[in-house]
Amino acid sequence: MKYVSRKFIDLIQGATSKWANWDPPKKIAVGDYGMIINETGEFNWEGNIYSSHFQEQLQSSQFKFDFDLSDQALRPEEQEGGDDKFIVKSWGVTTKEINVSPEADMQGTPNVAFKLNLQFDSNKQAAVLVMHKPRYSSLPNDERIIRLLKSMPDIIKGKYIITEVISCAAYMMHLSDKKAESFSVTLKATAPVAPAATARGAVDFVWSSEATQGISRQGSDPTAGYMPLYRLKMPRSKFWLRPFGYHGNEQSYDAIDRWEDIDPPWNPLDDEGEEVEIYDPEMHGDFGVFNDGYPDNHDDDDL
C-alpha cells in the first residue's frame, strides 16, 4: 500500500470524526493550525495561537488587544478521562471481550491492566485504536479566543485548527488486511524499578499482541505523553464577515463548539488507500445522467 497512514486515518476519521496521529510520539497541541497533507493524511503544522510568534503578529495587527494568553481561563482545558481506556474502531471490527483487573499490586507484581479480544471481518480493511489512561485537552470556548482569531484572518482564515487533543499513557493501533482474523491484545502493568519513579506512583506498561497479519503500532511509556487522536475544526465562512460585531444569533454560531468538523480532503479510498475517481458528468460533457452519477436511460419517459 502506497500510503498506509492515509488509509488508517481515513477509517478512524469515518468512525469518530476525529483524526488519528499516525506517529503518536510526535507532539501536537491544542491551538495548532495548518492543513492536512492529502497524500499521507497527516497534519502539516504551520503555527500555534499560543506561541510567542503568534503573539508578536497579534501585537502588530491593526486590532490592539490586551489579551494575556497566559491567563488560565484562556489556556487549554485539561480533563482526565472517565474510563481507563478509550477505543475507536471502524466498521469491520468487533470487540469480543474485555477483561479488566488492577494495574499492579503493592509489591509491583506484573498484572494485566486490560485484555481486548478483537475480531476483524474479511473482504475489507478495518482499523482500531486503543488508548490507556486518556487525557483530554480542548480549546476554551471563551469569547476572547474568538475575538483573537477574528483579528488574524491573514493567518488563520482557511486553516484547520486543532481544538481538542486526546493523549494517553499507552496506545495500540492496528490496520488489518482483507483477511478475517481474531486476536487478543493485552496491556500488562508493572511497578517501576527506579525509586524516584516509584515515589511518584508511576507505572510502566508493556503490550503483547497475537496479531499475525496487518500493520500494528504501539507505545507504552507513561512519560512519553502519546497523542494518538485529535479534533480538527474550521470556523464557518461567515465567521470572518463581521470581525467584532454580530447580527442576530451569529455570536452563538461563532462559538468553537459550533465550528465545522473537517472532512478528509481526498475522494473515497479503495482497499489500497488510493483515491477512487468520482465520475463528474458535467466535466465530461455528459448531461444525460442523474445526480447519483448513473446514466439516465429515460425509462420513465412513457410514464
Side-chain angles (χ1 to χ4, degrees):
M1 187 184 300
K2 188 175 182 180
Y3 293 117
V4 176
S5 59
R6 184 169 71 172
K7 183 63 177 180
F8 181 85
I9 291 168
D10 184 74
L11 289 170
I12 294 297
Q13 198 280 334
T16 187
S17 296
K18 294 182 174 68
W19 290 75
N21 179 13
W22 183 243
D23 185 16
K26 181 181 178 180
K27 301 302 180 184
I28 55 177
V30 168
D32 283 350
Y33 57 87
M35 301 298 289
I36 289 294
I37 303 173
N38 187 77
E39 292 78 11
T40 65
E42 296 176 290
F43 182 70
N44 183 30
W45 183 90
E46 295 184 23
N48 185 284
I49 67 171
Y50 292 101
S51 69
S52 58
H53 178 63
F54 189 86
Q55 294 305 301
E56 292 172 1
Q57 292 176 305
L58 180 64
Q59 294 300 321
S60 62
S61 71
Q62 60 176 314
F63 306 103
K64 303 301 180 183
F65 294 120
D66 189 20
F67 289 164
D68 181 8
L69 284 178
S70 64
D71 182 347
Q72 192 61 35
L74 299 179
R75 302 299 297 176
E77 299 174 345
E78 305 285 342
Q79 181 181 359
E80 297 289 346
D83 199 333
D84 278 349
K85 56 189 172 298
F86 186 89
I87 301 170
V88 180
K89 57 183 185 292
S90 70
W91 181 92
V93 185
T94 303
T95 302
K96 300 296 291 183
E97 181 181 358
I98 299 178
N99 297 320
V100 181
S101 63
E103 290 178 357
D105 61 18
M106 295 300 293
Q107 288 74 37
T109 304
N111 209 339
V112 175
F114 66 84
K115 182 177 181 179
L116 180 64
N117 294 327
L118 299 171
Q119 179 175 336
F120 290 81
D121 296 339
S122 59
N123 300 324
K124 280 187 173 293
Q125 286 190 303
V128 63
L129 170 62
V130 182
M131 290 172 281
H132 184 58
K133 297 291 186 183
R135 183 177 179 84
Y136 301 82
S137 178
S138 59
L139 201 62
N141 202 16
D142 190 294
E143 184 182 355
R144 289 173 293 175
I145 294 290
I146 301 299
R147 292 176 62 193
L148 181 148
L149 296 177
K150 279 177 172 283
S151 71
M152 304 294 283
D154 292 343
I155 298 175
I156 300 296
K157 187 176 181 180
K159 306 299 182 184
Y160 304 156
I161 302 174
I162 294 181
T163 61
E164 181 185 23
V165 173
I166 305 178
S167 58
C168 62
Y171 76 93
M172 190 282 299
M173 55 176 63
H174 184 80
L175 177 66
S176 71
D177 55 21
K178 293 183 289 184
K179 298 179 181 178
E181 183 180 17
S182 297
F183 65 90
S184 64
V185 176
T186 304
L187 181 65
K188 294 182 179 180
T190 61
V193 177
T198 304
R200 295 195 303 269
V203 177
D204 288 336
F205 301 101
V206 59
W207 288 99
S208 64
S209 172
E210 299 174 356
T212 59
Q213 304 173 35
I215 299 172
S216 293
R217 285 189 167 194
Q218 54 192 237
S220 55
D221 181 356
T223 65
Y226 301 115
M227 298 177 176
L229 201 62
Y230 61 96
R231 189 163 213 149
L232 272 182
K233 287 196 169 191
M234 175 187 283
R236 65 194 183 105
S237 57
K238 292 184 178 180
F239 181 89
W240 307 103
L241 295 182
R242 295 181 175 87
F244 306 109
Y246 298 101
H247 178 72
N249 62 351
E250 283 189 353
Q251 185 172 3
S252 64
Y253 284 100
D254 285 345
I256 295 171
D257 58 3
R258 302 295 294 273
W259 290 1
E260 300 173 352
D261 282 308
I262 301 303
D263 293 325
W266 49 78
N267 290 337
L269 304 180
D270 61 20
D271 290 331
E272 297 300 321
E274 298 290 345
E275 292 188 67
V276 177
E277 183 178 357
I278 298 178
Y279 181 75
D280 186 342
E282 293 187 5
M283 181 179 296
H284 292 81
D286 186 358
F287 299 97
V289 298
F290 288 122
N291 290 333
D292 58 7
Y294 291 96
D296 182 359
N297 55 16
H298 305 286
D299 287 345
D300 57 351
D301 288 351
D302 296 331
L303 297 180

